[in-house]
Amino acid sequence: MRVIGIDPGLRNLGWGVIESQGSRLTHIANGLCKSAGTDLGVRLLSLHEQLTDVFHRFSPEAAAVEQTFVNRDGAGTLKLGQARGIAMLVPAQAGLEIGEYAPNAVKKAIVGVGHAEKHQIAHMIGIHFPGVKLAGPDAADALAIAITHAHHLQSGSRLSAAIARAS
């Protein structure tokens, strides 16, 4: 199954695509969608067009998006939420259900600590996928989201199989 992870951001929206076959994960691609323009509407349209192109190029079958981390800057959180809306819209337009994960849950799944730093996530992504060139920290975060979702889907399918056998 091909899984895309999306790390929403208004300036840089990170994305990472992996292939999950059983417990084996393979890196397919990663990158950044960089917003263009100064007008918020134009920037959001730019992110939408770029992410839509990523979906057309890599045809993911599952998608996951990081939940918004609310901080003291209300205006910044609102703008991030609008970028997250684009990150949710594009997979929905492709007909995919979208997994949502809190930042701490992703960090704990990848690094083992819920308050890991970005460089620690990038390091662990390098261990999962040796030799892969990351487009940046946001792309590393997106790959971490994809890995978290792949593990979640795998656990869910095992649970469903166990319940089916028990019935």
Side-chain angles (χ1 to χ4, degrees):
M1 173 178 288
R2 196 165 273 200
V3 180
I4 187 168
I6 304 169
D7 182 32
L10 187 56
R11 201 170 281 124
N12 292 316
L13 184 145
W15 58 270
V17 180
I18 64 171
E19 187 82 31
S20 173
Q21 296 175 349
S23 62
R24 181 178 167 85
L25 300 177
T26 307
H27 174 267
I28 302 298
N30 71 86
L32 299 173
C33 299
K34 295 179 181 254
S35 63
T38 56
D39 178 68
L40 179 60
V42 172
R43 291 173 75 186
L44 292 171
L45 177 61
S46 171
L47 292 174
H48 180 271
E49 290 171 343
Q50 291 174 66
L51 190 56
T52 299
D53 181 58
V54 170
F55 269 71
H56 288 135
R57 283 189 289 147
F58 298 105
S59 304
E61 301 163 86
V65 176
E66 189 172 73
Q67 292 174 341
T68 301
F69 178 79
V70 179
N71 56 34
R72 282 174 257 199
D73 177 16
T77 301
L78 181 59
K79 287 179 182 177
L80 177 60
Q82 291 168 330
R84 188 172 180 275
I86 298 300
M88 299 285 289
L89 175 64
V90 173
Q93 287 178 320
L96 301 181
E97 288 185 32
I98 305 157
E100 299 179 69
Y101 299 94
N104 286 353
V106 173
K107 292 172 183 177
K108 191 165 189 170
I110 300 303
V111 179
V113 178
H115 295 286
E117 300 291 328
K118 283 196 174 277
H119 72 275
Q120 292 172 302
I121 293 170
H123 175 75
M124 291 306 293
I125 294 301
I127 290 172
H128 276 286
F129 306 122
V132 166
K133 184 176 179 188
L134 296 172
D138 297 315
D141 289 351
L143 285 168
I145 295 161
I147 292 168
T148 301
H149 192 52
H151 289 316
H152 177 79
L153 292 173
Q154 190 177 45
S155 297
S157 65
R158 275 188 256 149
L159 177 62
S160 296
I163 290 171
R165 284 192 303 270
S167 299

